[in-house]
Amino acid sequence: MTRQLLLDAGVEVMTEKGYGPTTVDQIALAAGATRATFYLHFTSKAELVRFIVERADELLTSADRPPLPEMVASNDPATIRAFLGLKFDQWPEIKPYMMISLQAAAADPEIQSALDAWHDRAIGAMESGLDAADRFDPASRRIRCSIAFGQLIFMSQRWFRLGWTIDREELLEQMTASWTGLLCEAV
């Protein structure tokens, strides 16, 4: 319970102040704990952010129906569209986690490595969907998934900074068409 309070306080304080200026003492104080208590649960502010990255991943993947590999294996543009629409809908919920993670990654290679590993796992899950469907040349599968996932990451990060500066429905249409071209065979 204390660990969760510290995570929540970390998100709250870093959302308000930014990753760099936030201190462990400020996080502990916001959680109603001490610096020593913080260090019982986390070795550093960077470790707390690694758990924030994990929390964002949990929020995103727990809502996936079907899971990412099955969505890719489906070869169904409607399933892809529903998946992407859900991701767009989740952006407001994960924005604080992602803004903190992106700020931290710019300052700390350890956090950037955690984000890279997270992205690699997602790309790997997509690739496993293409593998399960035995679709496309195996040498191109990871590349196709990397391009598709990269589009989603770019647009999400742009949204986190700027909000909807482009039409959401048009983005959904265009990204669905792109993902369909990358991940589906014509039926």
Side-chain angles (χ1 to χ4, degrees):
M1 188 167 151
T2 301
R3 182 182 189 86
Q4 188 60 51
L5 286 172
L6 288 164
L7 276 167
D8 292 343
V11 170
E12 180 182 320
V13 175
M14 286 187 266
T15 296
E16 180 185 327
K17 298 180 181 292
Y19 173 78
T22 297
T23 66
V24 166
D25 289 331
Q26 290 168 332
I27 295 168
L29 180 64
T34 65
R35 178 184 188 89
T37 301
F38 177 93
Y39 285 115
L40 285 174
H41 296 277
F42 303 101
T43 60
S44 64
K45 184 170 67 168
E47 183 183 35
L48 180 131
V49 173
R50 281 197 314 277
F51 282 95
I52 289 172
V53 169
E54 287 179 18
R55 177 67 181 138
D57 182 45
E58 289 169 10
L59 289 169
L60 287 167
T61 58
S62 67
D64 290 350
R65 302 290 181 273
L68 184 56
E70 291 176 32
M71 181 276 297
V72 171
S74 75
N75 201 47
D76 178 31
T79 301
I80 290 172
R81 180 185 169 83
F83 174 85
L84 290 171
L86 173 63
K87 295 303 119 186
F88 294 1
D89 292 344
Q90 290 179 297
W91 289 351
E93 181 180 14
I94 66 163
K95 180 181 177 178
Y97 302 98
M98 296 313 304
M99 293 301 291
I100 292 164
S101 301
L102 294 168
Q103 288 174 18
D108 190 331
E110 182 181 341
I111 302 303
Q112 185 60 60
S113 292
L115 285 175
D116 290 342
W118 177 26
H119 294 167
D120 285 341
R121 285 190 304 275
I123 292 166
M126 293 174 75
E127 185 180 15
S128 72
L130 289 181
D131 290 344
D134 196 25
R135 201 160 47 245
F136 304 117
D137 176 6
S140 76
R141 291 175 185 160
R142 187 158 191 90
I143 294 166
R144 289 170 174 277
C145 295
S146 296
I147 293 168
F149 189 74
Q151 293 170 355
L152 183 62
I153 291 299
F154 175 81
M155 293 310 301
S156 68
Q157 290 179 4
R158 182 174 171 78
W159 184 89
F160 296 146
R161 288 190 327 275
L162 304 172
W164 286 113
T165 61
I166 58 175
D167 183 80
R168 180 196 188 280
E169 290 308 307
E170 186 61 26
L171 175 61
L172 183 57
E173 286 301 316
Q174 295 303 319
M175 195 175 291
T176 298
S178 179
W179 277 44
T180 298
L182 287 164
L183 305 174
C184 297
E185 288 181 326
V187 186

